[in-house]
Amino acid sequence: MFAAAAVALLVAAALVLVRAALGPTVFDRVQAANTIGTLAVLILSVFGFLTGRPDFLDLALTYGLLNVVGTIAVLKFFQYGDLGDPGEAEEPR
Amino acid sequence: MLRAANSVVVLFAFWLLLSGYFTAFLVTAGFACAVAVVAFAWRMEVIDHEGHPMHLGLRPFAYVPWLLKEILKSGWQVTRIILDPKLPVSPTLVRFRPSQRTDVGLVTHANSITLTPGTISVEVGRDSFLVHGLTRESAAGVVASEMDRRVCRFEGQR
Amino acid sequence: MSLAIDLASWALLVAGGFFCIVGGIGLIRMPDFYTRMHAASVTDTLGAGFMLAGMMLQAGLTLVTVKLALIGVLLFFTSPTATHALARAAMTRGVQPLLADGEGAPSKR
């Protein structure tokens, strides 16, 4: 039963990965990465049940916290930093 | 001060729930950590009505079940749109004025709009929200909505 | 009794998997960036919610359930924040939404 749930989550992650590869704008890719993060949290918790090791839930919790921080950090970089401009040393405030 | 004491209690309960071990050393360490975190937050001056909104009391818990019901309803609508072979989307932007006055109320309203599938708050300000809706109906549904009234009640307005 | 709980949690897990896959399909099918975000929010709320509820039924009244509930609360607080930041960043960078009624984005700020 948990194996079926894990397979469904993996299929969903594969679909999202297609969008991350296609995504015309960088925001599509960030959105896909964020969704994959959510799916990864679920896969980690399901995997904890699948193998009977509830420790995986702590990993899922940490991953969920890091996911949102990562998304917002990447967004901030794309909003204020400039990838095509190597001359900028400090991030503008 | 009451707020700080309440934060210590909440953080300590959080530690106990996550750890699941109740030896003397770990419980003491957890309490020390909770006190240290609150001390740091006190020095950063982030323990105020915004960082720890305990003045709301239990009212948020009355709001959550209604929000879950809304999420279920609109989530099912979005699912039907996605699985429809014709893909009947009519994306619409709508700007309206929320009737909340406190920051907590505004944030709750904007987060609830984004949390319900089918509507996303794009710009959030004190006197106007810009909302993107998946269909014309879902965009029109956020203006002067039931959600607006319920968030008002939850933040303490009559 | 335990059979009933098993059946209920099985149904919840299947529903969660279904909504996660629907979100993935929507993410591929939708025509522009803003409409794709709506599809992703189906995965974030319904998919995650049903999955976690199904696992909670399996775990019963233990610390595992508490941790699952914490994961759920965390997802429900952070995912709209991330989505809103994403929409706002895209709008300020000038990604124009596809609109049904033909007019462009309303004046900024």
Side-chain angles (χ1 to χ4, degrees):
Chain A
M1 164 162 82
F2 288 117
V7 168
L9 286 171
L10 285 175
V11 170
L15 290 171
V16 178
L17 209 54
V18 170
R19 173 48 68 194
L22 286 179
T25 66
V26 70
F27 300 108
D28 286 293
R29 295 175 214 267
V30 175
Q31 170 74 75
N34 190 26
T35 309
I36 286 182
T38 307
L39 290 172
V41 170
L42 293 177
I43 290 173
L44 276 172
S45 359
V46 170
F47 197 71
F49 276 89
L50 197 61
T51 52
R53 290 166 63 189
D55 324 342
F56 272 96
L57 286 175
D58 295 324
L59 299 184
L61 206 53
T62 316
Y63 200 94
L65 280 169
L66 284 177
N67 184 31
V68 68
V69 175
T71 304
I72 289 183
V74 169
L75 281 177
K76 222 174 161 178
F77 179 69
F78 280 114
Q79 215 171 357
Y80 297 113
D82 198 342
L83 275 182
D85 185 12
E88 210 166 10
E90 296 277 301
E91 183 179 297
R93 296 248 154 177
Chain B
M1 207 59 220
L2 183 66
R3 236 179 254 286
N6 188 275
S7 301
V8 171
V9 171
V10 170
L11 284 175
F12 187 47
F14 186 64
W15 170 289
L16 288 183
L17 283 178
L18 279 192
S19 106
Y21 292 101
F22 298 99
T23 62
F25 170 71
L26 282 174
V27 171
T28 320
F31 189 72
C33 284
V35 170
V37 166
V38 171
F40 292 146
W42 184 271
R43 280 199 60 194
M44 286 164 71
E45 296 176 352
V46 290
I47 300 191
D48 48 12
H49 66 281
E50 192 182 336
H52 188 62
M54 62 182 259
H55 59 93
L56 290 175
L58 293 175
R59 279 190 304 244
F61 294 97
Y63 175 64
V64 168
W66 180 81
L67 181 63
L68 289 181
K69 197 196 80 202
E70 275 315 281
I71 289 175
L72 266 179
K73 235 168 38 187
S74 55
W76 179 241
Q77 276 167 10
V78 174
T79 305
R80 287 228 318 260
I81 290 175
I82 290 174
L83 293 181
D84 194 313
K86 289 200 301 290
L87 203 65
V89 294
S90 49
T92 311
L93 281 171
V94 63
R95 191 181 279 282
F96 71 104
R97 191 188 164 81
S99 44
Q100 286 76 34
R101 272 182 230 116
T102 61
D103 286 342
V104 175
L106 286 168
V107 168
T108 310
H109 191 185
N111 256 10
S112 313
I113 286 175
T114 314
L115 203 51
T116 25
T119 47
I120 287 175
S121 50
V122 180
E123 273 177 35
V124 176
R126 208 162 253 292
D127 28 51
S128 86
F129 279 12
L130 181 64
V131 173
H132 185 275
L134 185 58
T135 62
R136 267 187 215 97
E137 295 78 46
S138 63
V142 296
V143 181
S145 56
E146 166 101 34
M147 183 183 284
D148 198 22
R149 282 194 298 283
R150 284 191 183 251
V151 178
C152 276
R153 201 186 311 158
F154 141 109
E155 72 167 352
Q157 289 182 28
R158 283 301 132 225
Chain C
M1 191 58 208
S2 95
L3 182 70
I5 287 183
D6 267 358
L7 277 178
S9 95
W10 197 78
L12 283 171
L13 282 172
V14 166
F18 168 73
F19 282 117
C20 280
I21 292 178
V22 162
I25 294 173
L27 214 54
I28 288 181
R29 281 194 73 195
M30 287 294 183
D32 87 316
F33 168 67
Y34 296 92
T35 47
R36 271 174 221 139
M37 297 177 75
H38 296 294
S41 83
V42 173
T43 303
D44 277 354
T45 55
L46 285 185
F50 277 119
M51 279 264 166
L52 291 173
M55 285 187 267
M56 271 186 229
L57 278 186
Q58 279 291 315
L61 276 177
T62 53
L63 274 181
V64 172
T65 306
V66 174
K67 276 182 198 169
L68 285 170
L70 275 176
I71 292 176
V73 169
L74 189 77
L75 281 179
F76 270 52
F77 269 105
T78 58
S79 86
T81 315
T83 309
H84 166 68
L86 201 58
R88 196 192 167 90
M91 197 61 106
T92 47
R93 277 306 276 262
V95 178
Q96 288 297 322
L98 192 75
L99 291 178
D101 298 330
E103 76 234 51
S107 60
K108 284 188 184 156
R109 258 136 248 262

